[in-house]
Protein backbone atom coordinates (compact mmCIF):
# COMPACT_ATOMS: atom_id res chain seq x y z
CA UNK A 1 0.00 0.00 0.00
CA UNK A 2 2.82 2.40 0.78
CA UNK A 3 4.36 1.68 -2.63
CA UNK A 4 1.01 2.32 -4.37
CA UNK A 5 0.67 5.58 -2.44
CA UNK A 6 4.10 6.74 -3.57
CA UNK A 7 3.27 5.84 -7.17
CA UNK A 8 -0.04 7.74 -7.06
CA UNK A 9 1.61 10.84 -5.60
CA UNK A 10 4.29 10.73 -8.26
CA UNK A 11 2.12 10.20 -11.33
CA UNK A 12 -1.39 11.45 -10.46
CA UNK A 13 -1.55 15.20 -11.25
CA UNK A 14 -1.78 17.36 -8.11
CA UNK A 15 -2.08 14.34 -5.78
CA UNK A 16 0.61 15.95 -3.63
CA UNK A 17 -1.61 19.04 -3.17
CA UNK A 18 -3.66 17.14 -0.58
CA UNK A 19 -2.97 17.27 3.15
CA UNK A 20 -4.42 15.83 6.33
CA UNK A 21 -6.66 18.87 6.76
CA UNK A 22 -7.67 18.90 3.08
CA UNK A 23 -7.79 15.37 1.59
CA UNK A 24 -7.64 14.95 -2.16
CA UNK A 25 -11.34 14.10 -2.48
CA UNK A 26 -12.42 17.24 -0.65
CA UNK A 27 -9.90 19.34 -2.60
CA UNK A 28 -11.23 18.11 -5.94
CA UNK A 29 -14.80 18.77 -4.81
CA UNK A 30 -13.87 22.26 -3.65
CA UNK A 31 -12.27 23.02 -7.01
CA UNK A 32 -15.64 22.54 -8.76
CA UNK A 33 -16.53 26.18 -8.03
CA UNK A 34 -13.78 27.13 -10.49
CA UNK A 35 -15.45 24.97 -13.15
CA UNK A 36 -18.75 26.84 -12.72
CA UNK A 37 -17.00 30.23 -12.84
CA UNK A 38 -15.13 29.16 -16.00
CA UNK A 39 -18.41 28.08 -17.58
CA UNK A 40 -20.02 31.45 -16.79
CA UNK A 41 -16.96 33.27 -18.17
CA UNK A 42 -17.27 31.40 -21.48
CA UNK A 43 -20.95 32.32 -21.69
CA UNK A 44 -20.45 36.02 -20.95
CA UNK A 45 -17.26 36.67 -22.91
CA UNK A 46 -17.63 34.23 -25.78
CA UNK A 47 -20.91 32.53 -26.63
CA UNK A 48 -23.39 35.29 -25.71
CA UNK A 49 -21.11 37.92 -27.22
CA UNK A 50 -21.42 36.26 -30.62
CA UNK A 51 -25.12 35.32 -30.22
CA UNK A 52 -26.15 38.89 -29.41
CA UNK A 53 -24.23 40.42 -32.32
CA UNK A 54 -24.81 37.81 -35.05
CA UNK A 55 -28.07 36.00 -34.31
CA UNK A 56 -29.96 38.67 -32.32
CA UNK A 57 -28.46 41.60 -34.31
CA UNK A 58 -27.81 43.72 -31.23
CA UNK A 59 -25.47 46.70 -31.87
CA UNK A 60 -21.85 45.87 -31.03
CA UNK A 61 -21.50 48.90 -28.75
CA UNK A 62 -24.45 47.77 -26.64
CA UNK A 63 -23.01 44.23 -26.47
CA UNK A 64 -19.66 45.64 -25.32
CA UNK A 65 -21.41 47.58 -22.57
CA UNK A 66 -23.25 44.45 -21.39
CA UNK A 67 -20.06 42.36 -21.33
CA UNK A 68 -18.25 45.14 -19.44
CA UNK A 69 -20.83 45.27 -16.63
CA UNK A 70 -19.38 42.32 -14.66
CA UNK A 71 -15.96 43.98 -14.86
CA UNK A 72 -17.35 47.07 -13.11
CA UNK A 73 -18.11 44.88 -10.09
CA UNK A 74 -14.55 43.52 -9.90
CA UNK A 75 -13.14 46.33 -7.68
CA UNK A 76 -15.58 45.27 -4.94
CA UNK A 77 -13.94 41.85 -4.63
CA UNK A 78 -11.65 43.18 -1.90
CA UNK A 79 -14.71 44.20 0.12
CA UNK A 80 -16.33 40.79 -0.46
CA UNK A 81 -13.17 39.08 0.71
CA UNK A 82 -13.00 41.26 3.82
CA UNK A 83 -16.63 40.50 4.64
CA UNK A 84 -15.93 36.77 4.42
CA UNK A 85 -12.94 37.27 6.77
CA UNK A 86 -15.03 38.94 9.45
CA UNK A 87 -18.43 37.26 9.01
CA UNK A 88 -19.80 35.71 12.21
CA UNK A 89 -22.56 33.13 12.05
CA UNK A 90 -24.21 31.16 14.83
CA UNK A 91 -22.52 27.97 13.62
CA UNK A 92 -19.13 29.56 13.00
CA UNK A 93 -19.03 29.51 9.19
CA UNK A 94 -17.22 32.34 7.39
CA UNK A 95 -16.67 31.39 3.74
CA UNK A 96 -19.57 29.03 3.01
CA UNK A 97 -22.33 31.67 3.33
CA UNK A 98 -20.57 33.80 0.71
CA UNK A 99 -20.04 30.78 -1.52
CA UNK A 100 -23.74 29.96 -1.20
CA UNK A 101 -25.06 33.46 -1.87
CA UNK A 102 -22.59 33.88 -4.73
CA UNK A 103 -24.01 30.68 -6.18
CA UNK A 104 -27.54 32.06 -5.89
CA UNK A 105 -26.59 35.30 -7.65
CA UNK A 106 -24.85 33.41 -10.44
CA UNK A 107 -27.75 30.94 -10.78
CA UNK A 108 -30.33 33.72 -10.81
CA UNK A 109 -28.50 35.75 -13.43
CA UNK A 110 -28.14 32.79 -15.78
CA UNK A 111 -31.71 31.64 -15.15
CA UNK A 112 -33.28 34.92 -16.33
CA UNK A 113 -30.69 35.71 -19.00
CA UNK A 114 -32.18 33.91 -22.05
CA UNK A 115 -35.59 35.57 -21.61
CA UNK A 116 -33.88 38.96 -21.16
CA UNK A 117 -31.82 38.46 -24.34
CA UNK A 118 -34.87 37.43 -26.35
CA UNK A 119 -36.59 40.66 -25.28
CA UNK A 120 -33.41 42.60 -26.16
CA UNK A 121 -33.39 41.10 -29.67
CA UNK A 122 -37.11 41.59 -30.10
CA UNK A 123 -36.94 42.49 -33.81
CA UNK A 124 -35.35 39.14 -34.62
CA UNK A 125 -37.20 36.95 -32.11
CA UNK A 126 -40.49 38.79 -32.70
CA UNK A 127 -40.83 39.47 -28.99
CA UNK A 128 -42.97 42.57 -28.51
CA UNK A 129 -43.13 44.79 -25.43
CA UNK A 130 -44.47 48.27 -24.71
CA UNK A 131 -41.95 49.37 -22.06
CA UNK A 132 -39.12 51.53 -23.45
CA UNK A 133 -35.62 50.05 -22.99
CA UNK A 134 -37.06 46.95 -21.30
CA UNK A 135 -34.66 44.64 -23.16
CA UNK A 136 -31.60 46.73 -22.32
CA UNK A 137 -32.52 47.01 -18.62
CA UNK A 138 -33.36 43.32 -18.25
CA UNK A 139 -30.20 42.17 -20.05
CA UNK A 140 -28.05 44.50 -17.93
CA UNK A 141 -29.69 43.10 -14.78
CA UNK A 142 -28.91 39.52 -15.87
CA UNK A 143 -25.26 40.35 -16.61
CA UNK A 144 -24.84 42.23 -13.31
CA UNK A 145 -26.35 39.38 -11.29
CA UNK A 146 -24.13 36.82 -12.99
CA UNK A 147 -21.06 39.00 -12.49
CA UNK A 148 -21.77 39.49 -8.78
CA UNK A 149 -22.16 35.75 -8.38
CA UNK A 150 -18.93 34.95 -10.21
CA UNK A 151 -16.86 37.42 -8.18
CA UNK A 152 -18.39 36.44 -4.83
CA UNK A 153 -18.06 32.71 -5.50
CA UNK A 154 -14.48 32.88 -6.69
CA UNK A 155 -13.28 35.21 -3.92
CA UNK A 156 -14.84 33.14 -1.12
CA UNK A 157 -13.76 29.86 -2.73
CA UNK A 158 -10.12 30.89 -3.09
CA UNK A 159 -10.09 32.18 0.49
CA UNK A 160 -11.55 28.90 1.74
CA UNK A 161 -8.89 26.94 -0.17
CA UNK A 162 -6.19 29.15 1.36
CA UNK A 163 -7.64 28.57 4.83
CA UNK A 164 -7.69 24.80 4.51
CA UNK A 165 -4.39 24.27 2.69
CA UNK A 166 -1.11 24.07 4.60
CA UNK A 167 1.87 26.32 3.90
CA UNK A 168 3.53 23.42 2.11
CA UNK A 169 0.61 22.45 -0.13
CA UNK A 170 -0.83 25.91 -0.80
CA UNK A 171 1.18 26.55 -4.01
CA UNK A 172 0.02 23.26 -5.53
CA UNK A 173 -3.55 23.99 -4.49
CA UNK A 174 -3.31 27.29 -6.38
CA UNK A 175 -2.11 25.52 -9.52
CA UNK A 176 -4.91 22.93 -9.25
CA UNK A 177 -7.58 25.63 -8.91
CA UNK A 178 -6.25 27.40 -12.00
CA UNK A 179 -6.25 24.16 -13.99
CA UNK A 180 -9.87 23.52 -12.99
CA UNK A 181 -10.82 27.02 -14.12
CA UNK A 182 -9.19 26.35 -17.48
CA UNK A 183 -10.89 22.95 -17.71
CA UNK A 184 -14.24 24.58 -17.00
CA UNK A 185 -13.70 27.11 -19.77
CA UNK A 186 -12.46 24.56 -22.31
CA UNK A 187 -15.13 21.92 -21.77
CA UNK A 188 -17.91 24.51 -21.58
CA UNK A 189 -16.81 26.18 -24.82
CA UNK A 190 -16.95 22.87 -26.70
CA UNK A 191 -20.25 21.68 -25.22
CA UNK A 192 -22.10 25.01 -25.44
CA UNK A 193 -20.83 25.60 -28.97
CA UNK A 194 -22.05 22.15 -30.04
CA UNK A 195 -25.54 22.66 -28.61
CA UNK A 196 -25.87 26.11 -30.18
CA UNK A 197 -24.57 25.09 -33.61
CA UNK A 198 -28.08 25.77 -34.98
CA UNK A 199 -29.43 28.80 -33.13
CA UNK A 200 -33.09 28.96 -32.14
CA UNK A 201 -34.67 30.86 -29.24
CA UNK A 202 -35.65 27.54 -27.64
CA UNK A 203 -32.06 26.24 -27.87
CA UNK A 204 -30.80 29.45 -26.26
CA UNK A 205 -33.19 29.05 -23.33
CA UNK A 206 -32.36 25.39 -22.86
CA UNK A 207 -28.58 25.84 -22.98
CA UNK A 208 -28.27 28.87 -20.69
CA UNK A 209 -30.78 27.62 -18.12
CA UNK A 210 -29.04 24.22 -18.14
CA UNK A 211 -25.84 26.09 -17.30
CA UNK A 212 -27.71 27.78 -14.44
CA UNK A 213 -28.78 24.41 -13.00
CA UNK A 214 -25.28 22.98 -13.48
CA UNK A 215 -23.86 26.00 -11.63
CA UNK A 216 -26.07 25.21 -8.65
CA UNK A 217 -25.11 21.52 -8.69
CA UNK A 218 -21.37 22.12 -9.02
CA UNK A 219 -21.20 24.81 -6.34
CA UNK A 220 -23.31 22.92 -3.82
CA UNK A 221 -21.05 19.89 -4.33
CA UNK A 222 -18.03 22.17 -3.89
CA UNK A 223 -19.11 23.76 -0.61
CA UNK A 224 -20.58 20.63 1.00
CA UNK A 225 -18.92 20.05 4.43
CA UNK A 226 -15.92 22.25 3.61
CA UNK A 227 -16.07 24.22 6.89
CA UNK A 228 -16.41 22.80 10.37
CA UNK A 229 -19.38 23.71 12.52
CA UNK A 230 -18.03 25.81 15.41
CA UNK A 231 -21.00 27.32 17.29
CA UNK A 232 -20.56 30.88 18.53
CA UNK A 233 -22.38 32.48 21.43
CA UNK A 234 -24.37 35.65 21.02
CA UNK A 235 -21.68 37.54 22.95
CA UNK A 236 -18.96 36.30 20.59
CA UNK A 237 -20.97 37.37 17.56
CA UNK A 238 -21.56 40.79 19.12
CA UNK A 239 -17.82 41.48 19.49
CA UNK A 240 -16.72 44.44 17.41
CA UNK A 241 -15.00 43.64 14.12
CA UNK A 242 -12.50 45.88 12.35
CA UNK A 243 -13.85 48.15 9.65
CA UNK A 244 -12.85 47.72 6.02
CA UNK A 245 -10.80 50.92 6.17
CA UNK A 246 -8.86 49.65 9.19
CA UNK A 247 -8.29 46.26 7.60
CA UNK A 248 -7.16 47.80 4.31
CA UNK A 249 -4.74 50.14 6.08
CA UNK A 250 -3.38 47.19 8.04
CA UNK A 251 -3.02 45.15 4.86
CA UNK A 252 -1.21 47.95 3.06
CA UNK A 253 1.16 48.67 5.96
CA UNK A 254 3.28 45.65 5.09
CA UNK A 255 4.82 47.60 2.21
CA UNK A 256 4.63 44.85 -0.44
CA UNK A 257 0.84 44.58 -0.75
CA UNK A 258 0.40 47.74 -2.81
CA UNK A 259 3.31 46.91 -5.07
CA UNK A 260 1.97 43.39 -5.62
CA UNK A 261 -1.39 44.82 -6.75
CA UNK A 262 0.40 47.16 -9.17
CA UNK A 263 2.36 44.19 -10.55
CA UNK A 264 -0.86 42.16 -10.96
CA UNK A 265 -2.63 45.06 -12.67
CA UNK A 266 0.19 45.86 -15.13
CA UNK A 267 1.02 42.23 -15.88
CA UNK A 268 -2.60 41.30 -16.51
CA UNK A 269 -2.99 44.26 -18.87
CA UNK A 270 0.14 43.16 -20.71
CA UNK A 271 -1.07 39.60 -21.26
CA UNK A 272 -4.76 40.32 -21.94
CA UNK A 273 -4.69 43.26 -24.35
CA UNK A 274 -4.47 40.83 -27.26
CA UNK A 275 -7.46 38.71 -26.21
CA UNK A 276 -9.80 39.94 -28.94
CA UNK A 277 -7.06 40.56 -31.52
CA UNK A 278 -5.09 37.33 -31.86
CA UNK A 279 -7.60 35.42 -34.02
CA UNK A 280 -8.40 38.42 -36.29
CA UNK A 281 -4.64 38.97 -36.69
CA UNK A 282 -4.19 35.38 -37.86
CA UNK A 283 -7.07 35.63 -40.31
CA UNK A 284 -6.63 39.16 -41.64
CA UNK A 285 -2.84 39.47 -41.66
CA UNK A 286 -1.54 35.90 -42.02
CA UNK A 287 -4.45 34.63 -44.13
CA UNK A 288 -5.28 31.69 -41.89
CA UNK A 289 -8.61 29.90 -42.28
CA UNK A 290 -11.34 29.94 -39.65
CA UNK A 291 -10.53 26.38 -38.62
CA UNK A 292 -6.85 27.29 -38.22
CA UNK A 293 -7.51 30.33 -36.05
CA UNK A 294 -9.89 28.26 -33.93
CA UNK A 295 -6.89 26.14 -32.95
CA UNK A 296 -5.34 29.22 -31.33
CA UNK A 297 -7.48 28.73 -28.23
CA UNK A 298 -6.27 25.15 -27.91
CA UNK A 299 -2.67 26.26 -28.46
CA UNK A 300 -2.99 28.97 -25.82
CA UNK A 301 -4.60 26.49 -23.41
CA UNK A 302 -1.81 23.95 -23.97
CA UNK A 303 0.76 26.62 -23.13
CA UNK A 304 -1.19 27.65 -20.04
CA UNK A 305 -1.43 24.03 -18.83
CA UNK A 306 2.32 23.63 -19.30
CA UNK A 307 2.82 26.81 -17.29
CA UNK A 308 0.56 25.54 -14.49
CA UNK A 309 2.36 22.18 -14.34
CA UNK A 310 5.79 23.81 -14.26
CA UNK A 311 4.61 26.34 -11.69
CA UNK A 312 3.41 23.54 -9.39
CA UNK A 313 6.78 21.82 -9.70
CA UNK A 314 8.84 24.96 -9.08
CA UNK A 315 6.69 26.04 -6.15
CA UNK A 316 6.95 22.59 -4.56
CA UNK A 317 10.74 23.01 -4.78
CA UNK A 318 10.47 26.29 -2.85
CA UNK A 319 11.03 28.88 -5.57
CA UNK A 320 10.31 32.49 -4.72
CA UNK A 321 6.94 33.16 -6.45
CA UNK A 322 8.07 36.65 -7.46
CA UNK A 323 11.04 35.16 -9.31
CA UNK A 324 8.66 32.76 -11.06
CA UNK A 325 6.43 35.69 -12.04
CA UNK A 326 9.47 37.32 -13.63
CA UNK A 327 10.09 34.20 -15.69
CA UNK A 328 6.49 34.35 -16.89
CA UNK A 329 6.93 37.98 -17.91
CA UNK A 330 10.11 37.18 -19.85
CA UNK A 331 8.28 34.34 -21.61
CA UNK A 332 5.62 36.90 -22.55
CA UNK A 333 8.24 39.15 -24.14
CA UNK A 334 9.41 36.23 -26.31
CA UNK A 335 5.79 35.38 -27.14
CA UNK A 336 4.79 38.81 -28.41
CA UNK A 337 8.06 39.15 -30.29
CA UNK A 338 7.25 35.90 -32.11
CA UNK A 339 3.74 37.13 -32.94
CA UNK A 340 5.13 40.42 -34.32
CA UNK A 341 7.79 38.73 -36.49
CA UNK A 342 5.33 36.15 -37.83
CA UNK A 343 3.96 38.82 -40.22
CA UNK A 344 7.17 39.95 -42.01
CA UNK A 345 8.41 36.34 -42.06
CA UNK A 346 4.99 35.07 -43.23
CA UNK A 347 5.30 32.23 -40.74
CA UNK A 348 2.12 30.77 -39.28
CA UNK A 349 4.26 28.33 -37.29
CA UNK A 350 5.97 31.21 -35.48
CA UNK A 351 2.56 32.73 -34.84
CA UNK A 352 1.32 29.57 -33.13
CA UNK A 353 4.53 29.35 -31.10
CA UNK A 354 3.88 32.90 -29.92
CA UNK A 355 0.29 32.04 -28.96
CA UNK A 356 1.51 29.02 -26.99
CA UNK A 357 4.05 31.11 -25.08
CA UNK A 358 1.43 33.77 -24.33
CA UNK A 359 -0.53 31.08 -22.50
CA UNK A 360 2.62 29.73 -20.86
CA UNK A 361 3.84 33.11 -19.62
CA UNK A 362 0.38 34.20 -18.51
CA UNK A 363 -0.11 30.94 -16.62
CA UNK A 364 3.20 31.28 -14.78
CA UNK A 365 2.50 34.91 -13.92
CA UNK A 366 -1.04 34.28 -12.67
CA UNK A 367 -0.15 31.31 -10.48
CA UNK A 368 2.89 33.11 -9.08
CA UNK A 369 1.04 36.28 -8.11
CA UNK A 370 -1.93 34.35 -6.68
CA UNK A 371 0.49 32.26 -4.60
CA UNK A 372 2.17 35.44 -3.37
CA UNK A 373 -1.23 36.86 -2.37
CA UNK A 374 -2.20 33.61 -0.61
CA UNK A 375 1.06 33.37 1.32
CA UNK A 376 1.38 37.04 2.19
CA UNK A 377 1.38 37.43 5.99
CA UNK A 378 -1.94 38.72 7.32
CA UNK A 379 -3.08 40.03 10.68
CA UNK A 380 -6.31 39.67 12.60
CA UNK A 381 -7.67 42.70 10.80
CA UNK A 382 -6.61 41.85 7.26
CA UNK A 383 -7.35 38.21 6.48
CA UNK A 384 -6.73 36.13 3.40
CA UNK A 385 -10.14 36.98 2.00
CA UNK A 386 -9.17 40.64 1.75
CA UNK A 387 -5.79 39.78 0.17
CA UNK A 388 -7.32 37.42 -2.39
CA UNK A 389 -10.19 39.80 -3.07
CA UNK A 390 -7.72 42.60 -3.77
CA UNK A 391 -5.76 40.31 -6.10
CA UNK A 392 -8.95 39.31 -7.94
CA UNK A 393 -10.10 42.91 -8.19
CA UNK A 394 -6.81 44.05 -9.69
CA UNK A 395 -6.73 41.16 -12.17
CA UNK A 396 -10.36 41.34 -13.32
CA UNK A 397 -10.34 45.14 -13.64
CA UNK A 398 -7.08 45.09 -15.62
CA UNK A 399 -8.38 42.33 -17.90
CA UNK A 400 -11.55 44.24 -18.74
CA UNK A 401 -9.76 47.54 -19.34
CA UNK A 402 -6.98 45.98 -21.41
CA UNK A 403 -9.37 44.15 -23.73
CA UNK A 404 -11.30 47.36 -24.39
CA UNK A 405 -8.08 49.34 -24.87
CA UNK A 406 -6.62 46.75 -27.24
CA UNK A 407 -9.59 46.95 -29.59
CA UNK A 408 -9.77 50.74 -29.43
CA UNK A 409 -6.03 51.22 -30.07
CA UNK A 410 -6.05 48.79 -32.98
CA UNK A 411 -9.03 50.52 -34.64
CA UNK A 412 -7.68 54.02 -34.00
CA UNK A 413 -4.17 53.33 -35.30
CA UNK A 414 -5.47 51.46 -38.35
CA UNK A 415 -7.79 54.31 -39.30
CA UNK A 416 -4.82 56.69 -39.22
CA UNK A 417 -2.46 54.27 -40.97
CA UNK A 418 -4.85 53.37 -43.78
CA UNK A 419 -5.48 57.08 -44.47
CA UNK A 420 -1.79 57.44 -45.31
CA UNK A 421 -0.90 59.79 -42.46
CA UNK A 422 1.85 57.43 -41.20
CA UNK A 423 3.50 56.96 -44.58
CA UNK A 424 3.40 54.27 -47.22
CA UNK A 425 5.41 51.70 -45.22
CA UNK A 426 2.94 51.73 -42.31
CA UNK A 427 -0.19 52.01 -44.45
CA UNK A 428 -1.23 48.40 -43.85
CA UNK A 429 -3.82 46.65 -41.68
CA UNK A 430 -1.02 45.08 -39.64
CA UNK A 431 0.07 48.43 -38.16
CA UNK A 432 -2.70 48.63 -35.57
CA UNK A 433 -2.07 45.07 -34.39
CA UNK A 434 1.68 45.69 -34.22
CA UNK A 435 1.22 48.80 -32.07
CA UNK A 436 -0.85 46.82 -29.57
CA UNK A 437 1.72 44.00 -29.40
CA UNK A 438 4.60 46.46 -28.94
CA UNK A 439 2.62 48.21 -26.20
CA UNK A 440 2.17 44.85 -24.46
CA UNK A 441 5.94 44.26 -24.55
CA UNK A 442 6.44 47.71 -23.03
CA UNK A 443 3.94 46.86 -20.26
CA UNK A 444 5.77 43.58 -19.60
CA UNK A 445 9.05 45.43 -19.05
CA UNK A 446 7.24 47.99 -16.89
CA UNK A 447 5.88 45.13 -14.81
CA UNK A 448 9.38 43.72 -14.42
CA UNK A 449 10.54 47.09 -13.08
CA UNK A 450 7.70 47.14 -10.56
CA UNK A 451 8.39 43.52 -9.63
CA UNK A 452 12.12 44.00 -8.98
CA UNK A 453 11.96 45.12 -5.32
CA UNK A 454 9.57 42.26 -4.47
CA UNK A 455 12.10 39.59 -5.46
CA UNK A 456 13.89 40.19 -2.16
CA UNK A 457 10.71 39.16 -0.34
CA UNK A 458 10.82 35.50 0.62
CA UNK A 459 7.24 34.33 0.91
CA UNK A 460 8.51 30.78 0.57
CA UNK A 461 11.84 29.22 1.26
CA UNK A 462 13.98 29.70 -1.84
CA UNK A 463 15.91 26.67 -3.01
CA UNK A 464 15.98 27.22 -6.74
CA UNK A 465 19.30 29.02 -6.94
CA UNK A 466 18.06 30.73 -10.08
CA UNK A 467 19.73 33.57 -11.89
CA UNK A 468 19.37 37.12 -10.63
CA UNK A 469 16.91 39.25 -12.53
CA UNK A 470 17.62 42.78 -11.38
CA UNK A 471 19.01 45.28 -8.89
CA UNK A 472 16.57 44.07 -6.23
CA UNK A 473 18.72 40.96 -5.79
CA UNK A 474 21.84 42.93 -4.86
CA UNK A 475 22.84 42.90 -1.17
CA UNK A 476 21.78 45.96 0.82
Amino acid sequence: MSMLKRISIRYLPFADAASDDLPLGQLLRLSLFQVSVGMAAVLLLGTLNRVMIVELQVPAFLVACMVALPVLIAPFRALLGFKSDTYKSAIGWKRLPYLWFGTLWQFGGLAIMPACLLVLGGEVTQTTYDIPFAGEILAALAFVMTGIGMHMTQTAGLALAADRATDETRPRVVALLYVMFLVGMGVSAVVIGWFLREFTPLELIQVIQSCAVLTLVLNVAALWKQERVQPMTKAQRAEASPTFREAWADYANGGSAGRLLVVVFLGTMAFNMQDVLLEPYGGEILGLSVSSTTLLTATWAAGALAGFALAARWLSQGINPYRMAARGLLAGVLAFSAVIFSNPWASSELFFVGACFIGFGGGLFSVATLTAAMTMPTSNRAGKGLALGAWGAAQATAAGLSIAMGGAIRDGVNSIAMSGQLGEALGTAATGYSVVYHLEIFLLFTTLVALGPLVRTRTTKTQDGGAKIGLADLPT
Side-chain angles (χ1 to χ4, degrees):
M1 291 301 296
S2 61
M3 181 183 69
L4 289 176
K5 183 178 180 181
R6 287 196 301 270
I7 291 175
S8 68
I9 290 177
R10 182 175 180 181
Y11 294 104
L12 183 63
F14 300 107
D16 55 351
S19 61
D20 293 337
D21 293 332
L22 185 57
L24 184 59
Q26 291 188 20
L27 175 58
L28 291 176
R29 272 201 304 109
L30 178 59
S31 66
L32 291 178
F33 79 87
Q34 284 284 69
V35 177
S36 73
V37 173
M39 178 177 61
V42 167
L43 277 173
L44 296 188
L45 301 177
T47 305
L48 296 182
N49 189 0
R50 176 256 164 86
V51 165
M52 286 191 288
I53 293 177
V54 178
E55 278 78 14
L56 299 181
Q57 298 180 12
V58 178
F61 174 74
L62 183 57
V63 173
C65 292
M66 295 295 175
V67 173
L69 286 175
V71 178
L72 299 179
I73 307 166
F76 296 98
R77 287 182 63 154
L79 179 61
L80 291 173
F82 166 74
K83 290 294 185 181
S84 72
D85 286 333
T86 58
Y87 182 73
K88 297 176 182 179
S89 65
I91 56 178
W93 286 349
K94 294 196 306 180
R95 314 295 186 188
L96 290 192
Y98 281 85
L99 257 174
W100 171 243
F101 283 106
T103 299
L104 292 183
W105 278 104
Q106 190 172 331
F107 168 80
L110 292 176
I112 68 172
M113 187 170 291
C116 298
L117 295 181
L118 293 179
V119 174
L120 180 64
E123 294 182 2
V124 175
T125 60
Q126 298 180 353
T127 304
T128 59
Y129 53 90
D130 297 328
I131 304 174
F133 303 107
E136 289 81 356
I137 295 173
L138 290 173
L141 177 64
F143 273 86
V144 168
M145 289 176 64
T146 307
I148 291 175
M150 291 170 62
H151 292 305
M152 187 180 296
T153 298
Q154 194 171 49
T155 301
L158 290 174
L160 178 57
D163 290 341
R164 298 203 57 190
T166 64
D167 292 339
E168 181 183 356
T169 62
R170 192 170 290 124
R172 294 186 287 278
V173 170
V174 172
L176 172 62
L177 293 176
Y178 249 98
V179 168
M180 295 302 286
F181 178 72
L182 195 63
V183 168
M185 292 187 67
V187 173
S188 301
V190 173
V191 174
I192 293 172
W194 187 81
F195 277 111
L196 286 178
R197 63 193 185 279
E198 293 182 4
F199 174 83
T200 63
L202 179 60
E203 287 286 343
L204 182 68
I205 294 173
Q206 290 175 335
V207 169
I208 300 181
Q209 291 190 342
S210 296
C211 291
V213 174
L214 189 58
T215 293
L216 194 62
V217 172
L218 290 173
N219 287 1
V220 169
L223 61 84
W224 188 258
K225 292 185 177 181
Q226 294 290 358
E227 272 190 312
R228 293 185 177 93
V229 175
Q230 298 174 336
M232 300 178 67
T233 65
K234 187 175 181 180
Q236 288 176 320
R237 298 198 304 273
E239 291 178 0
S241 299
T243 64
F244 177 73
R245 179 177 296 181
E246 292 171 342
W248 182 261
D250 195 48
Y251 173 68
N253 278 342
S256 61
R259 184 174 288 271
L260 174 61
L261 295 182
V262 171
V263 167
V264 171
F265 188 87
L266 292 175
T268 303
M269 287 197 71
F271 279 109
N272 286 78
M273 198 174 287
Q274 49 72 37
D275 265 6
V276 297
L277 300 179
L278 211 58
E279 290 193 24
Y281 180 81
E284 183 179 2
I285 307 303
L286 298 179
L288 299 177
S289 64
V290 175
S291 59
S292 297
T293 56
T294 303
L295 293 176
L296 282 174
T297 302
T299 305
W300 173 88
L305 284 173
F308 295 154
L310 193 57
R313 180 180 178 184
W314 282 344
L315 289 169
S316 66
Q317 295 173 354
I319 188 176
N320 182 348
Y322 295 122
R323 189 183 300 278
M324 190 174 73
R327 295 177 182 179
L329 294 171
L330 292 175
V333 173
L334 293 176
F336 289 113
S337 299
V339 171
I340 291 171
F341 281 105
S342 65
N343 176 34
W345 291 357
S347 173
S348 59
E349 293 81 5
L350 187 61
F351 177 59
F352 276 92
V353 168
C356 182
F357 270 87
I358 291 174
F360 176 79
L364 278 183
F365 178 79
S366 298
V367 172
T369 53
L370 179 56
T371 301
M374 273 189 167
T375 55
M376 184 172 290
T378 56
S379 66
N380 293 330
R381 289 183 175 180
K384 293 191 181 301
L386 174 61
L388 293 171
W391 174 89
Q395 188 196 49
T397 304
L401 289 176
S402 62
I403 292 173
M405 288 177 58
I409 292 173
R410 177 261 182 195
D411 291 345
V413 172
N414 268 3
S415 64
I416 298 174
M418 299 303 289
S419 67
Q421 298 182 44
L422 299 180
E424 183 179 353
L426 296 179
T428 66
T431 302
Y433 294 103
S434 182
V435 169
V436 173
Y437 298 145
H438 280 88
L439 179 58
E440 289 184 288
I441 293 176
F442 171 77
L443 285 173
L444 288 171
F445 280 114
T446 304
T447 309
L448 278 171
V449 173
L451 181 66
L454 292 176
V455 178
R456 289 178 296 184
T457 304
R458 295 295 183 260
T459 54
T460 58
K461 186 178 179 181
T462 303
Q463 299 173 349
D464 62 320
K468 307 299 182 183
I469 69 160
L471 296 177
D473 288 297
L474 296 177
T476 56

